[in-house]
Amino acid sequence: MTTLSTITTIIVALITAVIGPLIMAWVQLKLANKSKISPVKEAIDLNELVDNQLDMMMDELDCSRIWIGQFHNGGHFYPTGKSIQKFSIFYEKITPEISAIQHIFQQIPVSLFPKSLSKLYKEGELGIVNYDTDETYDLSMFAKDYNTKSFYMLAIDDLNDHFIGVMGISFNNKEHKLSKEEWIFIRQKVGAIGSLLTGYLNKKK
């Protein structure tokens, strides 16, 4: 005759065999979901890191505005379907007396700035200390419409040296010629921001 203890042992064994793996699978699923960072969280983290870099640049350079534009697709040509290359300003830091331009420079075709973008693609940077005497490329609108006295642009490259964006730096109160030390500082920050953007853009979904 089967004793009560034997029956209990069998029941416990069955429960362990069935429930144990289910509990383990549930725990593993919870841990896997916890390890995944949502796309929103990734974007927030990136934006905070980039914003911190721009804050440091604003403080160090005492400039009026810094912005970052990134290239992206925007519609297609007819009838080939080839992507139209555009850029938009994704980040902007300004002093209190300056009006923001981020909302204006959205979905801008790269064809509107052939000279400046070609200069950046080939040489990586450009500077306009004085809009009256220096080469202004196709950037005179920044002086006319936004009261910019001196303006600098630098290419943002990814870790594979692909041209992925642009940084613009404006001085509105007075002309400012960047010193050698300031150029070094800016290039270091552009490199850091390029690395941040590369890590975000290349991260698998």
Side-chain angles (χ1 to χ4, degrees):
M1 179 180 292
T2 304
T3 63
L4 180 61
S5 62
T6 303
I7 294 174
T8 302
T9 301
I10 293 173
I11 293 174
V12 170
L14 287 173
I15 292 174
T16 302
V18 175
I19 302 299
L22 291 176
I23 293 175
M24 182 62 68
W26 179 81
V27 171
Q28 290 176 343
L29 181 61
K30 295 291 288 184
L31 291 175
N33 289 335
K34 188 175 182 180
S35 64
K36 292 180 180 178
I37 301 176
S38 72
V40 173
K41 179 64 165 58
E42 288 183 348
I44 291 173
D45 289 344
L46 169 70
N47 295 338
E48 184 177 20
L49 292 171
V50 174
D51 188 74
N52 289 339
Q53 294 294 319
L54 297 183
D55 276 336
M56 285 187 280
M57 294 185 70
M58 290 287 289
D59 291 339
E60 180 69 22
L61 299 174
D62 194 26
C63 56
S64 303
R65 184 199 318 276
I66 299 179
W67 54 263
I68 293 176
Q70 291 177 256
F71 299 116
H72 57 84
N73 294 330
H76 299 86
F77 286 105
Y78 177 83
T80 63
K82 185 176 179 63
S83 295
I84 301 173
Q85 301 303 304
K86 296 184 178 182
F87 78 92
S88 298
I89 292 181
F90 282 81
Y91 304 94
E92 181 183 27
K93 304 293 289 187
I94 56 176
T95 52
E97 72 276 7
I98 301 299
S99 298
I101 62 172
Q102 180 177 3
H103 64 288
I104 299 173
F105 288 87
Q106 297 294 315
Q107 300 282 339
I108 305 299
V110 297
S111 58
L112 294 180
F113 298 96
K115 292 182 179 179
S116 55
L117 292 180
S118 177
K119 173 82 169 178
L120 293 180
Y121 183 80
K122 295 175 182 177
E123 301 182 23
E125 55 197 35
L126 64 83
I128 306 171
V129 178
N130 185 308
Y131 268 92
D132 294 326
T133 60
D134 295 346
E135 168 65 56
T136 60
Y137 307 94
D138 35 33
L139 303 170
S140 59
M141 60 163 25
F142 287 99
K144 180 180 179 181
D145 297 339
Y146 305 109
N147 196 35
T148 302
K149 302 295 190 299
S150 299
F151 185 63
Y152 299 86
M153 289 181 74
L154 294 93
I156 298 176
D157 297 329
D158 67 10
L159 297 180
N160 295 315
D161 290 328
H162 295 144
F163 188 19
I164 62 171
V166 174
M167 175 182 287
I169 304 172
S170 301
F171 293 86
N172 287 29
N173 294 327
K174 60 181 180 179
E175 292 179 9
H176 181 82
K177 184 177 181 179
L178 293 177
S179 66
K180 180 180 178 180
E181 291 74 20
E182 287 174 328
W183 272 115
I184 293 173
F185 171 76
I186 293 171
R187 290 165 184 153
Q188 290 173 341
K189 291 303 179 185
V190 167
I193 291 171
S195 297
L196 290 172
L197 296 177
T198 300
Y200 176 75
L201 296 173
N202 290 344
K203 187 168 293 185
K204 294 181 179 180
K205 296 180 180 180

